[in-house]
Amino acid sequence: MSQEGLTEAYGWAARDSSGILSPLHFTRRANGDTDITIKILYCGICHSDFHMLKNDHGISIYPLVPGHEIVGEVTKVGRRVTKFKVGDVAGVGGIVGTCGTCSNCTQGLETYCPKMILTSSSHYHDGSITYGGFSDNFVVDEHFAVTIPESMPLHATAPLLCAGITVYSPMLHHGLCRPGQHLGVVGLGGLGHLAVKFAKAFGMKVTVISTSSRKKEEAIERLGVDSFLLSHQQQQLQDATGTMDGIIDTVSAPHSVYPLVGLLKTGGNLILVGAPAASSPELPSLPLIMGRKSISGSAGGGMRETQEMIEFAAKHNISADVEVIPMDYVTTAMGRLVNNDVQYRFVIDVANTLDTPRTN
């Protein structure tokens, strides 16, 4: 602790939009009355971390410590904390603060609060900059942390704090969680493979829609999907016309949604959860009108729903398929992530590698 009571921290940060990360000593705010301090064990890498590093959305604050899929051990609790005790395992996702009083906050939809504070590269209530989970510790209000059941593998649980809730929340909100329904999943990456796992746990029929034929075998054999479509094969798309109750589009690169709308049944919904840096093409209004179909977006769920998602995942043995990496590999991992060279999520072994150089 420094003289001002701030929390000393150490992690990896980008100094500019080059996206190159290197070690950084910095400070977090002091552990307040309703805060917990976490020793970070694992932190996932999300595609949005890359966008933030590159300042693709124009909101990045440097130096920038990324990371919002955090799992760690509670090492300190404030005097008014009730949800955690020292030694518990806690998880932190994409937000660490809101206004607490707007209609979204009071309904448990903190993700949509207009004063939402991001886990990294935002300003906290006291004016301090938020730094993410590519670091040794984290200070967070207990409201924005979830409890992690003992049965869950921590390295494979970290991605659920962002990727997991990002697909789980819209499935429940739009009623795409009933046995026998047919869900399309666009993109078989960090979000997509978890959408498949949740859908299968709900008892749904699942079709993966991808640009890559090499993903067909892993989708069917490893993840148990019922069918696989190549998005550039018109005959395959035509044969599947009007068969899906809903589609979750997880792709974070600009692409046309026009072919996807045709796959929906009457009244079906295409849900966009990927966050491309550039806008997608114009919406296909006529197919929407003629099929009473809709296109919607979703930014994930609030804290109550995130806790419910974690408990559902624990009950059904759902976790992410991950490649665990050391901290000093993060810049390389970002490059591989952009090229879709990961199956399906990078997770940093923070506790064991933050100060340990790679040996291979």
Side-chain angles (χ1 to χ4, degrees):
M1 303 289 286
S2 70
Q3 291 181 348
E4 296 81 11
L6 300 178
T7 304
E8 299 290 345
Y10 174 66
W12 278 54
R15 272 67 171 184
D16 53 42
S17 61
S18 68
I20 298 173
L21 295 105
S22 58
L24 176 73
H25 289 275
F26 60 99
T27 57
R28 300 188 184 277
R29 71 176 192 278
N31 193 107
D33 289 347
T34 60
D35 290 333
I36 61 173
T37 297
I38 300 169
K39 174 187 177 182
I40 298 176
L41 302 177
Y42 296 98
C43 185
I45 300 179
C46 177
H47 207 285
S48 61
D49 289 323
F50 175 80
H51 288 312
M52 291 298 288
L53 287 175
K54 303 295 287 184
N55 198 23
D56 287 335
H57 301 301
I59 61 173
S60 300
I61 303 170
Y62 299 99
L64 192 156
V65 179
H68 54 268
E69 297 179 340
I70 301 165
V71 172
E73 179 183 351
V74 177
T75 59
K76 185 175 182 179
V77 298
R79 64 184 180 88
R80 292 170 53 196
V81 169
T82 60
K83 194 163 66 172
F84 297 94
K85 63 182 185 302
V86 172
D88 286 347
V89 177
V92 179
I95 61 174
V96 294
T98 60
C99 73
T101 58
C102 70
S103 60
N104 287 317
C105 289
T106 56
Q107 294 180 74
L109 299 173
E110 295 94 339
T111 306
Y112 302 101
C113 174
K115 296 183 179 180
M116 173 188 65
I117 300 171
L118 298 175
T119 301
S120 67
S121 203
S122 284
H123 286 99
Y124 199 65
H125 299 298
D126 62 3
S128 62
I129 296 173
T130 61
Y131 298 104
F134 290 17
S135 57
D136 57 353
N137 63 49
F138 199 82
V139 179
V140 63
D141 188 290
E142 66 167 339
H143 179 76
F144 295 97
V146 296
T147 60
I148 306 297
E150 293 181 0
S151 62
M152 301 190 77
L154 300 187
H155 66 292
T157 295
L160 298 183
L161 277 303
C162 175
I165 189 60
T166 296
V167 296
Y168 178 89
S169 180
M171 291 173 72
L172 265 64
H173 177 72
H174 292 283
L176 294 170
C177 53
R178 295 188 289 272
Q181 288 182 308
H182 186 183
L183 181 72
V185 177
V186 185
L188 193 61
L191 276 69
H193 89 288
L194 287 173
V196 169
K197 291 187 177 187
F198 280 116
K200 297 306 291 185
F202 287 132
M204 303 176 74
K205 177 181 178 181
V206 181
T207 295
V208 165
I209 306 156
S210 175
T211 60
S212 175
S213 59
R214 66 182 175 83
K215 293 195 173 184
K216 180 176 182 178
E217 182 177 355
E218 62 192 70
I220 295 175
E221 299 298 327
R222 294 184 63 244
L223 295 175
V225 305
D226 300 278
S227 56
F228 183 92
L229 301 178
L230 286 171
S231 58
H232 58 273
Q233 292 291 336
Q234 294 303 312
Q235 187 61 52
Q236 291 185 19
L237 297 180
Q238 184 175 337
D239 291 344
T241 297
T243 62
M244 301 178 189
D245 296 285
I247 298 173
I248 290 187
D249 186 343
T250 71
V251 176
S252 58
H255 61 287
S256 174
V257 299
Y258 186 92
L260 302 174
V261 173
L263 301 175
L264 293 169
K265 296 178 181 178
T266 299
N269 190 10
L270 169 62
I271 308 164
L272 308 178
V273 298
S279 298
S280 294
E282 185 177 343
L283 294 178
S285 56
L286 188 59
L288 295 175
I289 293 170
M290 297 307 296
R292 199 164 68 179
K293 301 172 184 178
S294 59
I295 298 177
S296 61
S298 179
M303 298 313 303
R304 180 174 61 248
E305 192 172 46
T306 302
Q307 186 67 63
E308 293 172 358
M309 178 273 301
I310 287 291
E311 292 169 1
F312 181 88
K315 179 179 179 180
H316 294 275
N317 296 315
I318 296 173
S319 60
D321 292 0
V322 304
E323 179 179 335
V324 179
I325 61 170
M327 181 64 80
D328 64 358
Y329 189 70
V330 290
T331 300
T332 300
M334 288 292 177
R336 288 180 54 192
L337 177 66
V338 174
N339 293 320
N340 296 316
D341 181 22
V342 58
Q343 195 178 23
Y344 294 96
R345 204 70 157 182
F346 285 117
V347 172
I348 306 167
D349 183 355
V350 177
N352 292 316
T353 70
L354 183 55
D355 289 305
T356 304
R358 294 190 73 210
T359 58
N360 58 351

